[in-house]
Amino acid sequence: MSQEIILITGSSGQLGTVLTKKLQKKYGVDNVIASDLRYDRDFNGQFEVLDVSNFEAIKAIVLKYKITQIYHLAAILSANGEKAPLNTWDINMKTFFNVLEVSRLYNIKKVFFPSSIAVFGNNVERLNTPQSSNLTPTTVYGISKAAGENWGNYYYEKYGLDVRSLRYPGVIGYQSLPGGGTTDYAVDIFHKAVNNQKFECFLNASTMLPMIYMDDAIRATLELMEAPKEKITVRTSYNIAGCSFNPKQLATAIKEIHPNFEITYKPDFRQDIANSWPMSIDDSDAKKDWDWQPKFDLKLMTDVMLRNLELKYN
Ligand code: AKB
């Protein structure tokens, strides 16, 4: 098997921080090129400052390192995206087009594109949302992800480029902070709890959303990317589920360990976004095609989050 050389865009983000370390472990530190808009002083390994919206810049890195796979994580998320819709569209689409084109032209073997539950809108079954639902997203981020899924499928059908994708639920991990999403509350709440602070939630108590613990999200990504090509029957993006809960259920799970924890609710514009998203996801295609199985439920995730953040802060 020839040596894989991996490029990760958006490597300093919530998922990128953790995925980069996993890929370094798998492929070797020198064979993983992390990249983001700003240099990360604390980073161990190969790092390039990269604005993916600049085609010549990404091309130069692909040629310099003889990249064979790209994980394209750079994107503006749902809540931040609504503050400047056209800019969000420009950035999310331009960066992905550059990744697709550089991959087509310079023989990249595999591309990973993160999609999201944000591709779904108000017209779907909100419980156990099926893989093949109609996509009418309510945010620019969601529109860009739905379009991205179709562009990935197009490059696969037209050029044979092996683009693979997952529709991530809200990702919850202790290693990094999310930036500008609608599911961010479910990470922030843990930081407040371990620091004995009150938490004001921007969603109401009963807003159930699909979430996934970081270890499950990373494992799903690697399992999808490693699956034999003939097993991949979904070339837009696979639904994956972790566990679904609402802020009240999460606060109750935290109170089991931190009985004095206090939560209040003050919904803002993100409530409307959350109301248009699924409450739970049907991931039976991922289970059938590449044996996907989540391991973390609400209780296990809460225990692990609190234990690790306590070590981090104290
Ligand atoms: C967001 O909230 O925007 C993201 C997502 C679900 O894609 N975490």
Side-chain angles (χ1 to χ4, degrees):
M1 203 176 75
S2 61
Q3 180 60 61
E4 299 293 338
I5 315 278
I6 315 288
L7 172 64
I8 306 170
T9 73
S11 66
S12 310
Q14 187 200 12
L15 198 66
T17 308
V18 187
L19 184 62
T20 301
K21 290 206 175 96
K22 269 273 176 233
L23 290 169
Q24 285 177 330
K25 231 180 189 164
K26 183 172 159 59
Y27 293 103
V29 174
D30 289 344
N31 298 317
V32 176
I33 319 305
S35 72
D36 213 311
L37 281 173
R38 272 169 288 281
Y39 181 67
D40 176 357
R41 278 172 183 282
D42 302 324
F43 184 76
N44 284 319
Q46 306 249 46
F47 190 93
E48 290 277 352
V49 173
L50 172 63
D51 175 356
V52 202
S53 61
N54 178 341
F55 180 77
E56 291 303 321
I58 183 168
K59 176 182 153 188
I61 289 174
V62 164
L63 294 179
K64 176 175 169 188
Y65 292 97
K66 299 188 172 56
I67 299 294
T68 63
Q69 294 189 25
I70 302 180
Y71 287 70
H72 175 50
L73 306 185
I76 299 178
L77 297 186
S78 58
N80 272 357
E82 292 309 285
K83 294 175 191 160
L86 295 186
N87 186 48
T88 302
W89 173 258
D90 274 353
I91 290 179
N92 287 2
M93 296 315 295
K94 178 93 185 124
T95 55
F96 191 38
F97 284 139
N98 285 345
V99 167
L100 289 171
E101 270 301 274
V102 86
S103 300
R104 176 178 76 84
L105 293 169
Y106 299 101
N107 301 319
I108 300 294
K109 287 192 276 186
K110 278 186 205 170
V111 173
F112 178 73
F113 173 68
S115 187
S116 161
I117 54 164
V119 294
F120 299 112
N122 289 309
N123 60 338
V124 300
E125 283 291 319
R126 292 191 67 212
L127 278 178
N128 256 337
T129 304
Q131 173 71 46
S132 58
S133 306
N134 261 326
L135 304 185
T136 51
T138 57
T139 58
V140 183
Y141 168 70
I143 300 173
S144 72
K145 289 297 179 189
E149 290 185 3
N150 282 304
W151 276 104
N153 184 51
Y154 177 86
Y155 269 70
Y156 173 71
E157 293 290 344
K158 183 135 184 148
Y159 305 115
L161 181 63
D162 192 353
V163 186
R164 303 182 183 199
S165 175
L166 296 174
R167 289 173 179 155
Y168 290 115
V171 177
I172 300 173
Y174 62 87
Q175 301 94 330
S176 47
L177 288 171
T182 305
T183 57
D184 292 13
Y185 92 86
V187 178
D188 298 341
I189 192 171
F190 285 104
H191 289 262
K192 289 284 191 293
V194 293
N195 287 304
N196 299 313
Q197 290 168 353
K198 284 187 186 160
F199 179 66
E200 186 176 87
C201 186
F202 59 73
L203 299 181
N204 69 35
S206 61
T207 311
M208 191 194 283
L209 287 171
M211 302 282 182
I212 190 166
Y213 182 59
M214 181 67 82
D215 286 18
D216 275 345
I218 299 284
R219 193 168 47 78
T221 309
L222 296 181
E223 285 177 6
L224 171 71
M225 289 301 273
E226 284 159 13
K229 211 171 173 175
E230 60 279 9
K231 297 243 171 187
I232 310 294
T233 64
V234 177
R235 282 290 174 177
T236 49
S237 188
Y238 278 99
N239 278 9
I240 50 160
C243 51
S244 282
F245 53 81
N246 64 37
K248 190 169 178 204
Q249 290 166 321
L250 179 54
T252 304
I254 290 174
K255 277 186 199 168
E256 297 269 316
I257 300 169
H258 283 264
N260 296 328
F261 175 65
E262 281 178 55
I263 183 167
T264 54
Y265 301 94
K266 196 175 174 205
D268 65 16
F269 73 101
R270 289 167 282 195
Q271 184 67 53
D272 288 340
I273 299 177
N275 289 348
S276 75
W277 285 0
M279 293 193 269
S280 59
I281 294 289
D282 173 10
D283 58 359
S284 46
D285 281 37
K287 286 178 166 145
K288 173 173 61 69
D289 286 359
W290 41 276
D291 298 326
W292 161 243
Q293 206 55 251
K295 291 188 178 156
F296 287 79
D297 60 11
L298 173 59
K299 184 177 169 2
L300 182 57
M301 181 199 77
T302 304
D303 289 353
V304 178
M305 281 296 288
L306 290 173
R307 206 168 339 114
N308 280 287
L309 285 177
E310 263 145 30
L311 286 174
K312 194 165 171 171
Y313 282 114
N314 302 316

